[in-house]
Amino acid sequence: MNRLERPPPKLPDDADDLRGFYFGLLLRRASTQAALAAAAILAGLIGAVLASPGVGAAGFLAGLLIGLGVVFAIADSRSEDAFFEIYGEQRQMAVYGKGRLPEATPLLRKGDDRYAERALEGPLGDGFEGTLALYTYEEESTDSDGNRQTSYHRYTVGIAPVPECAGFVPELYCQRKSGLRALEKLEDVFRRSKERVKLESESIDRRYEIFAGNGQDPNWLRQLFSPTFTVWLAEAPPEKFAFELVDGTLCCYVSGHRKTIVELDILRACTAKVATRLREEALE
């Protein structure tokens, strides 16, 4: 890439910030201009031959607009690529395209297919190395007519190894609150492999449901959720934040693919914070 094609060195605020830069860059290329002209002329000729000159003029305009839409889509993709490349470079994280994540927790095992559309590996903060990824899992279904449909569930995840705590808390799930509180006891009857963890915090109770594997030490769990950690968990993480811990692998997540500096930095920091608290309590 020559000097005139390089994006600005400053980290853009989000993955869309460089769309205009790449759109303009593509439009200035002779090859793009030739392709747009060819598409518009071809569409116009087809319309004129098959219908009328008026339809031909409309076809010319439609061909041009469709071509511009394709160019914009390419610019959008390049903008996102550049954003993550610059973000990874400035955060000292290696950047990867579509690939697999370790199926270490329930979220990372969901669906009929699952993958990271983009992943970054490196420092998360506070001495922790890990992975930040735009994660998607797919679920296939068949309707009454036999037509197959695929639904896509998207999350942004922060994954960090915390092997020190595996012997103390093999399983821990801090899920965002859903459903009616009145149904909690009924739900717990059918939840045989996990036990609800109740904390003396109304703010936590309003926001999260916390579960641990059966038979885990309740005293250790109470010490883990210290007053300072409980206040942080209730107030600091973004909306819809949750985490899972299974056999020493921590997966923190929020719904949707987050593509801004602020959102990615916050999830990195939250993952490091939870991992740090788990390690601290395990080493005491």
Side-chain angles (χ1 to χ4, degrees), residues 30 89 127 247:
E89 181 179 319
D247 293 332

Side-chain angles (χ1 to χ4, degrees), residues 48 59 61 136 152 184 236 274:
L61 180 60
T136 299
Y152 299 86
E184 287 181 358
V274 177

Side-chain angles (χ1 to χ4, degrees), residues 26 42 54 72 85 94 106 111-112 133 144 149-150 162 199 213 218 237 239 259 269-270 279:
L26 289 168
L42 179 61
F72 185 81
E85 287 293 337
D112 299 294
S144 57
Q149 299 174 328
T150 302
V162 197
L199 303 175
E239 186 179 359
K259 301 178 183 180
C270 287
R279 176 182 285 173

Side-chain angles (χ1 to χ4, degrees), residues 198-268:
K198 298 294 291 184
L199 303 175
E200 296 180 359
S201 170
E202 187 66 23
S203 57
I204 287 287
D205 197 43
R206 285 195 303 267
R207 186 170 182 179
Y208 300 105
E209 291 182 301
I210 302 174
F211 301 94
N214 288 335
Q216 293 183 191
D217 185 353
N219 291 326
W220 195 91
L221 290 173
R222 280 194 292 270
Q223 292 171 3
L224 172 68
F225 289 97
S226 64
T228 53
F229 183 57
T230 300
V231 170
W232 175 86
L233 191 60
E235 298 178 356
E239 186 179 359
K240 298 184 179 180
F241 173 81
F243 68 82
E244 302 175 337
L245 175 72
V246 178
D247 293 332
T249 297
L250 172 68
C251 176
C252 298
Y253 59 94
V254 290
S255 60
H257 285 173
R258 307 303 174 98
K259 301 178 183 180
T260 72
I261 297 174
V262 172
E263 291 171 321
L264 293 171
D265 279 351
I266 287 175
L267 184 59
R268 286 175 63 235

Side-chain angles (χ1 to χ4, degrees), residues 4-283:
L4 296 177
E5 294 180 342
R6 293 184 184 278
K10 177 181 178 294
L11 178 59
D13 292 331
D14 59 56
D16 296 337
D17 271 7
L18 294 175
R19 283 190 303 196
F21 171 82
Y22 283 106
F23 188 62
L25 178 65
L26 289 168
L27 288 181
R28 289 192 294 272
R29 290 181 176 174
S31 58
T32 303
Q33 295 169 9
L36 288 173
I41 292 171
L42 179 61
L45 287 174
I46 292 173
V49 170
L50 297 181
S52 67
V55 174
F60 179 91
L61 180 60
L64 179 61
L65 291 176
I66 291 172
L68 288 172
V70 172
V71 174
F72 185 81
I74 296 171
D76 183 66
S77 176
R78 292 191 179 182
S79 174
E80 183 173 319
D81 290 344
F83 169 78
F84 279 100
E85 287 293 337
I86 298 171
Y87 182 89
E89 181 179 319
Q90 296 195 1
R91 301 300 188 271
Q92 298 181 319
M93 303 183 80
V95 182
Y96 300 95
K98 187 174 182 179
R100 299 290 176 179
L101 295 175
E103 299 180 3
T105 73
L107 176 64
L108 302 178
R109 293 192 290 264
K110 279 192 172 183
D112 299 294
D113 193 17
R114 61 208 67 83
Y115 45 86
E117 296 190 17
R118 194 178 301 273
L120 300 96
E121 294 182 357
L124 298 175
D126 294 333
F128 273 94
E129 299 275 324
T131 301
L132 190 65
L134 306 184
Y135 168 70
T136 299
Y137 73 84
E138 301 178 6
E139 289 184 317
E140 295 185 354
S141 59
T142 305
D143 62 22
S144 57
D145 297 323
N147 299 314
R148 296 188 66 81
Q149 299 174 328
T150 302
S151 57
Y152 299 86
H153 306 268
R154 296 178 173 87
Y155 295 85
T156 304
V157 301
I159 303 170
V162 197
E164 300 90 344
C165 69
F168 297 96
V169 55
E171 291 182 84
L172 182 64
Y173 307 95
C174 183
Q175 304 168 351
R176 65 177 184 267
K177 194 80 170 183
S178 62
L180 299 175
R181 186 177 300 186
L183 298 178
E184 287 181 358
K185 292 184 179 180
L186 180 61
E187 291 174 351
D188 290 347
V189 171
F190 296 96
R191 189 180 286 108
R192 297 181 178 180
S193 62
K194 304 181 186 68
E195 296 178 347
R196 185 180 297 273
V197 178
K198 298 294 291 184
L199 303 175
E200 296 180 359
S201 170
E202 187 66 23
S203 57
I204 287 287
D205 197 43
R206 285 195 303 267
R207 186 170 182 179
Y208 300 105
E209 291 182 301
I210 302 174
F211 301 94
N214 288 335
Q216 293 183 191
D217 185 353
N219 291 326
W220 195 91
L221 290 173
R222 280 194 292 270
Q223 292 171 3
L224 172 68
F225 289 97
S226 64
T228 53
F229 183 57
T230 300
V231 170
W232 175 86
L233 191 60
E235 298 178 356
E239 186 179 359
K240 298 184 179 180
F241 173 81
F243 68 82
E244 302 175 337
L245 175 72
V246 178
D247 293 332
T249 297
L250 172 68
C251 176
C252 298
Y253 59 94
V254 290
S255 60
H257 285 173
R258 307 303 174 98
K259 301 178 183 180
T260 72
I261 297 174
V262 172
E263 291 171 321
L264 293 171
D265 279 351
I266 287 175
L267 184 59
R268 286 175 63 235
C270 287
T271 303
K273 174 68 175 182
V274 177
T276 298
R277 181 68 197 115
L278 288 164
R279 176 182 285 173
E280 287 174 348
E281 191 57 39
L283 294 179

